[in-house]
Amino acid sequence: MSAALILAILLVLRHVIRPLRSLSEAVTRLGSGNLDVAVEVQSSDEIGQLARAFNRMTRDLAESTVSREFFADVFDSMDLVLL
């Protein structure tokens, strides 16, 4: 195999592996409870679409969690008032 072909393969792999590794690390952080995690979108290809979808999902999850916590606090306060 020529050196140019090997270099081209390495560059393509780097272009694919780096964003996937970043996304994998973000998924791990999200799984640990960090709802503020976001992935840098570096392209508009399938990996970029996946990164944007992940960011939307974490944003929606954080918003729904905040809403749930807010309503839980409201209901807890109502219980205290009713007692």
Side-chain angles (χ1 to χ4, degrees):
M1 227 185 290
S2 73
L5 181 59
I6 292 172
L7 181 61
I9 291 171
L10 289 175
L11 289 174
V12 168
L13 286 176
R14 183 177 178 196
H15 178 74
V16 172
I17 291 173
R18 182 176 285 159
L20 288 177
R21 184 176 293 140
S22 174
L23 187 59
S24 175
E25 291 168 358
V27 168
T28 300
R29 291 193 308 269
L30 179 66
S32 297
N34 182 356
L35 298 178
D36 296 325
V37 67
V39 177
E40 181 182 346
V41 178
Q42 300 176 353
S43 64
S44 60
D45 60 7
E46 289 83 0
I47 295 172
Q49 291 173 1
L50 183 60
R52 278 189 292 285
F54 177 84
N55 289 338
R56 275 192 308 275
M57 180 189 69
T58 57
R59 185 179 55 248
D60 292 347
L61 183 59
E63 288 173 3
S64 70
T65 300
V66 169
S67 297
R68 231 177 302 145
E69 290 172 357
F70 172 77
F71 284 113
D73 290 344
V74 169
F75 291 135
D76 287 345
S77 299
M78 289 173 66
D79 286 343
L80 292 175
V81 170
L82 295 175
L83 293 177

